[in-house]
Amino acid sequence: MSNPGGPELPSQIDTSVAHSARVWNYWLGGKDNFPADRAAGDAYKSTYPLIEPFAKESRDFLRRTVTHLARDAGIRQFLDVGAGLPTADNTHEVAQRIAPESRVVYVDHDPLVLLHVHALLTSTPEGATAYVEADMRDTETVLDGASETLDLARPVALVINDVLGHIVEWDDALSLVRRLVERLPSGSYLALSHSTASDDAHRAVQDAYNSSGAIPYIFREPETTIAFFDNLEMVEPGMVSWPNWRPDADTGTLTARAGWGAVARIP
């Protein structure tokens, strides 16, 4: 099985079924997708046209939070869990533009992501990037792998950008985050976002997508997901919709759509 113009695809990658990372890549204007992904993406946005700006808002939230952590909080170590396919403004690119000595570890277990990992492993000479192939729920493997590149005795920014909806059980998602946070030292940060349904039409189209055979994504309300930040010191403006988290000149029109997130310091 080949990818025209790209690397050889592993046999376990089925391009005939839509894949969430490739559909997301399509909405972001990327090229790492196939006809099944584009068909699923087009079907989704025919019912919910805001999905493309929504995807871009999610990516822009990542850019602004990493910018804040590197520029304003002085963080030089980043652990990006559930990194997904590389696209514009990956965590290491944002952090190393500000602080070239930044060290970044990406975590994912998707063979499709692993296929493109070379794009995530570029680095400045002063810094470092690495990749841990692990299910994010296997927190011991995640942390053991990260410790080969990061000094876990020093502050780390834990980045979990809009991937926890792929964990169907709420208790499992909450436990995952808490296990990771508990292992990081004081002065570390959690930057986390999660999708919710903006209206009934959005919920209906997501339900249809989840029933298609693609990897499902579970919406959760911000009143629920704020529990990820229990006992942490929330950074202003707290938990808000993505474009309302410290907007800058590149943020565009402020809205309150389908994604919420926050950054908090680990005391």
Side-chain angles (χ1 to χ4, degrees), residues 20 30 48 53-54 87 97 104 119 126 137 139 163 169-170 189 216 259:
S20 58
Y48 185 69
F54 165 57
T87 182
R97 278 201 298 265
V104 179
E126 305 94 326
R137 290 168 291 193
T139 52
V163 295
E169 297 298 327
W170 163 244
Y189 285 82

Side-chain angles (χ1 to χ4, degrees), residues 20 63 84 107 120 124 137-138 153 200 225 234:
S20 58
R63 176 186 63 79
V107 178
L120 291 174
T124 57
R137 290 168 291 193
D138 184 0
D200 289 343
T225 55
M234 198 75 83

